[in-house]
Amino acid sequence: QVQLVESGGGLVQPGGSLRLSCAASGAVFSIGLMGWYRQAPGKEREFVASISSGGGTTSGGGTKYADSVKGRFTIARDNAKNTMYLQMNSLKPEDTAVYYCNAVIFHTTMSPSNYWGQGTQVTVSS
């Protein structure tokens, strides 16, 4: 019914930047909380950042970040496009991971479901 598709990953040098996108499509009535997670080789999947449904405005919503990315990453969303973004600056080798999009999708006002994208690879290396 719903697909989340990530894009924007790739290979960058340390200190470089990438902008990830996550687009939701299908039976979407509205989207609640959205977030980014990542999983590095040999490690567990970890939380990166999240943004509420009002996070695309200057006066509403809220954002959260993992301590490891605060000050370097910025999460945003465009509700009109059902799209979420992650601007990643000052990238470090330890940021290397598969980044996954997660979203709470409302098919109706009373039917929320949680969805995951298939991930996009981010590699930070010299």
mmCIF file of all heavy atoms in Angstrom, residues 30 62-63 95 102:
data_model
loop_
_atom_site.group_PDB
_atom_site.id
_atom_site.type_symbol
_atom_site.label_atom_id
_atom_site.label_comp_id
_atom_site.label_asym_id
_atom_site.label_seq_id
_atom_site.Cartn_x
_atom_site.Cartn_y
_atom_site.Cartn_z
ATOM 1 N N SER A 30 -2.060 10.848 5.372
ATOM 2 C CA SER A 30 -1.184 11.823 5.982
ATOM 3 C C SER A 30 -0.007 11.076 6.597
ATOM 4 O O SER A 30 -0.035 9.862 6.734
ATOM 5 C CB SER A 30 -1.905 12.660 7.043
ATOM 6 O OG SER A 30 -2.308 11.863 8.137
ATOM 7 N N GLY A 62 8.527 19.339 15.896
ATOM 8 C CA GLY A 62 9.750 19.235 16.646
ATOM 9 C C GLY A 62 10.707 18.251 16.006
ATOM 10 O O GLY A 62 10.320 17.382 15.235
ATOM 11 N N THR A 63 11.963 18.406 16.330
ATOM 12 C CA THR A 63 12.992 17.525 15.810
ATOM 13 C C THR A 63 13.824 16.960 16.943
ATOM 14 O O THR A 63 13.951 17.570 18.011
ATOM 15 C CB THR A 63 13.918 18.248 14.824
ATOM 16 O OG1 THR A 63 14.531 19.365 15.480
ATOM 17 C CG2 THR A 63 13.134 18.758 13.618
ATOM 18 N N ASP A 95 30.267 7.849 10.018
ATOM 19 C CA ASP A 95 28.910 8.023 9.509
ATOM 20 C C ASP A 95 28.577 7.014 8.418
ATOM 21 O O ASP A 95 27.427 6.940 7.977
ATOM 22 C CB ASP A 95 28.717 9.433 8.953
ATOM 23 C CG ASP A 95 28.792 10.503 10.026
ATOM 24 O OD1 ASP A 95 28.239 10.292 11.124
ATOM 25 O OD2 ASP A 95 29.397 11.561 9.752
ATOM 26 N N ASN A 102 12.121 5.954 7.983
ATOM 27 C CA ASN A 102 11.015 5.382 8.736
ATOM 28 C C ASN A 102 9.901 6.414 8.846
ATOM 29 O O ASN A 102 10.168 7.603 9.027
ATOM 30 C CB ASN A 102 11.481 4.957 10.128
ATOM 31 C CG ASN A 102 10.363 4.385 10.962
ATOM 32 O OD1 ASN A 102 9.791 5.070 11.813
ATOM 33 N ND2 ASN A 102 10.041 3.119 10.734
#
